[in-house]
Amino acid sequence: MHPVIYAGLTLCLALVVCAQSPSCPSLCTCVLHDRSNSKGLRTVLCKNPALTAIPIDLPCDTVKFRLERTSVSRIFRGAFSAMPELLYLWLTYNSITVLHPRSFTNLSSLHELRLDGNLLSTFPWEGLRDVPRLRTLGLHNNRLARIPPLAARYLGNVTYLDLSSNRLSTLPNDLTALWPLSDATQSQRSVVLGLQDNPWVCDCRLSTLLDISKAPESSLVLLDQFLTCSEPPDLAGVPFQSVELTRCRRPYAVTSATKITALLGSNVLLRCDATGHPAPTIMWIKSARPNLYNQACCKQMQSSIDSRRLPRKLSGYVHESPRVGIRWSAVSLNGISYKDAGEYRCRAQNMAGISEAIVSLNVVGIMAEYANSKNSGQQQTVAKSNYSQRKPKQKSKAIPSLLPRNMTGKPSLPKRVIKIPKASRD
């Protein structure tokens, strides 16, 4: 049977069984803990080697589900969807090798997920989107050899992460960037991290983690403070606190300006300088669109705004400085329009870490189409007003003139002539 069909039938059957009665599945033990508000907390424990699949008749009101030391090897899509109130999910010391990316659907309240002691070589990090309230993730004693950079997108809210006893040799810079070197008293929350018993390669890729381990006080708390290197050979067995990577320097990016206001249709050059060792690579990213709601002239131009998905990479050119470890990059924007406004990020990255600098571009001016439409509207308004002023004169009746036809201009009033007698002329 196809896995998707099997998962759908499993979910439907589980909902039907759960709607009938919250009975305890076979080969499992159910315990109901009473609370003062007359609502119980149900715990289901399935601990039988004969169990090869997740039971389908799990009670809907389950708050804690424990699957331990069974023969379960695969977790299908929506395997726990029938338990929307689940807070704790422990799948420890089984034979799990495959987790479906949608294994945790309908578990928006899940707080703790433990997968210790399984056979996982990969983990579906994108599946953590279905558990936004997750705070504890345990992956101790598996076979993980690599953590992809995208994992950092879904671990921002996790405060306890156990990656100990795996096969990890390094961590991506995107992940270590989640734990800045800040004082624990100033940070809003602390993160507990388990990294012991891994074959760490102490090179520039691990420089951020090495700095964290040396910090006297940090928002990151290591379960084992005495982490050691496995490679290179000259650093094998050396504690993290004693490692000095003199040729590693995390990048530092800076832009020529943080805010730019440019005229519509002009040309803009965005420049960014970066330092680090090894010499960092530079990449430009447009990360945000402009806010046009406060610009009256632009409300009609929303259709002209770039609708492509953000963030997105931009093409720019990179130049090497004569000095070692220094590079600069520029992006040329010619004939800018409203769609070019927004936030631009310059990201510098090397083996030692990541650094970003932000430039905000604001475009001012009125588009020709809007100006023409505005002028034409004004002309139409003036024409209507002139027409309305002339209209009464056309409707008035013509008054016949008493002047001769060959007379033009306004008629002058007749002059009064006074006759003086001849005797009194002197």
Side-chain angles (χ1 to χ4, degrees):
M1 183 181 294
H2 196 275
V4 176
I5 299 176
Y6 176 79
L9 293 176
T10 302
L11 176 59
C12 294
L13 183 58
L15 293 175
V16 171
V17 172
C18 188
Q20 293 177 355
S21 63
S23 59
C24 189
S26 59
L27 303 179
C28 298
T29 304
C30 299
V31 179
L32 186 64
H33 305 278
D34 294 331
R35 290 195 302 185
S36 58
N37 59 357
S38 70
K39 185 178 180 180
L41 296 176
R42 188 181 299 275
T43 299
V44 178
L45 172 61
C46 300
K47 190 177 180 181
N48 194 316
L51 197 62
T52 59
I54 303 296
I56 60 175
D57 52 348
L58 293 169
C60 294
D61 58 349
T62 303
V63 175
K64 186 174 184 179
F65 178 67
R66 296 172 58 185
L67 184 76
E68 298 180 0
R69 304 187 185 281
T70 67
S71 300
V72 175
S73 61
R74 300 175 66 92
I75 305 297
F76 293 100
R77 175 179 180 144
F80 313 101
S81 299
M83 300 180 290
E85 300 180 10
L86 199 63
L87 296 177
Y88 305 94
L89 179 59
W90 291 11
L91 308 174
T92 56
Y93 297 97
N94 300 284
S95 302
I96 300 174
T97 57
V98 177
L99 277 173
H100 192 278
R102 301 304 304 275
S103 297
F104 313 115
T105 55
N106 202 29
L107 299 182
S108 58
S109 300
L110 191 67
H111 182 84
E112 185 172 319
L113 174 61
R114 293 187 178 273
L115 290 157
D116 305 332
N118 283 284
L119 305 175
L120 293 172
S121 58
T122 59
F123 181 80
W125 301 99
E126 64 276 10
L128 297 180
R129 290 178 295 186
D130 295 326
V131 285
R133 299 181 181 178
L134 188 69
R135 296 296 180 268
T136 300
L137 177 59
L139 294 169
H140 165 75
N141 194 16
N142 276 275
R143 299 179 177 179
L144 299 176
R146 177 179 174 270
I147 305 295
L150 65 87
R153 303 179 188 176
Y154 314 109
L155 294 174
N157 295 327
V158 174
T159 57
Y160 182 94
L161 178 61
D162 191 358
L163 299 172
S164 60
S165 300
N166 278 277
R167 301 175 181 178
L168 300 173
S169 60
T170 188
L171 291 178
N173 292 325
D174 301 70
L175 185 59
T176 55
L178 295 177
W179 312 308
L181 289 171
S182 59
D183 191 351
T185 58
Q186 299 177 358
S187 180
Q188 297 181 357
R189 62 184 179 89
S190 59
V191 178
V192 180
L193 185 62
L195 298 174
Q196 64 274 14
D197 299 328
N198 280 289
W200 298 112
V201 177
C202 294
D203 56 11
C204 292
R205 296 173 296 177
L206 215 62
S207 60
T208 302
L209 185 59
L210 294 173
D211 293 340
I212 292 175
S213 64
K214 299 174 186 176
E217 292 184 0
S218 174
S219 59
L220 182 65
V221 180
L222 296 175
L223 288 177
D224 188 350
Q225 296 289 337
F226 301 99
L227 301 176
T228 58
C229 304
S230 296
E231 294 183 14
D234 57 334
L235 293 177
V238 178
F240 278 15
Q241 291 83 352
S242 303
V243 176
E244 295 292 339
L245 302 177
T246 57
R247 296 186 59 82
C248 295
R249 189 170 72 251
R250 283 181 294 174
Y252 176 72
V254 60
T255 55
S256 56
T258 57
K259 292 184 179 180
I260 298 177
T261 301
L263 190 63
L264 184 69
S266 62
N267 301 331
V268 175
L269 185 68
L270 306 179
R271 172 167 172 160
C272 173
D273 294 83
T275 60
H277 191 83
T281 59
I282 303 178
M283 177 175 58
W284 284 94
I285 302 172
K286 186 175 183 183
S287 56
R289 297 186 180 91
N291 182 9
L292 299 181
Y293 294 105
N294 296 328
Q295 301 181 19
C297 68
C298 309
K299 290 182 179 179
Q300 299 180 3
M301 307 305 170
Q302 291 287 349
S303 58
S304 66
I305 300 300
D306 197 351
S307 60
R308 286 178 290 181
R309 187 175 181 179
L310 295 179
R312 73 172 191 273
K313 297 180 182 180
L314 302 177
S315 59
Y317 52 89
V318 180
H319 287 271
E320 194 84 25
S321 175
R323 298 176 59 186
V324 178
I326 300 178
R327 286 180 177 176
W328 64 272
S329 174
V331 170
S332 180
L333 305 175
N334 299 323
I336 60 173
S337 61
Y338 289 119
K339 68 180 181 180
D340 295 314
E343 185 179 270
Y344 294 81
R345 291 177 179 267
C346 171
R347 172 178 290 186
Q349 180 175 358
N350 64 5
M351 296 174 62
I354 299 175
S355 177
E356 286 188 351
I358 302 175
V359 181
S360 179
L361 176 61
N362 183 33
V363 179
V364 296
I366 302 178
M367 295 181 65
E369 297 177 359
Y370 178 77
N372 293 338
S373 63
K374 187 175 181 180
N375 293 335
S376 61
Q378 292 177 353
Q379 291 176 2
Q380 292 178 3
T381 304
V382 173
K384 288 182 180 179
S385 62
N386 294 338
Y387 177 76
S388 61
Q389 292 176 2
R390 291 196 305 267
K391 199 171 182 180
K393 293 183 181 180
Q394 293 178 357
K395 287 185 177 180
S396 62
K397 295 182 180 180
I399 300 175
S401 176
L402 300 177
L403 297 176
R405 293 182 179 179
N406 59 352
M407 241 185 118
T408 60
K410 294 183 179 180
S412 59
L413 295 176
K415 294 182 179 181
R416 186 176 179 180
V417 180
I418 301 176
K419 296 182 178 182
I420 302 174
K422 294 182 180 180
S424 61
R425 283 181 182 177
D426 296 338

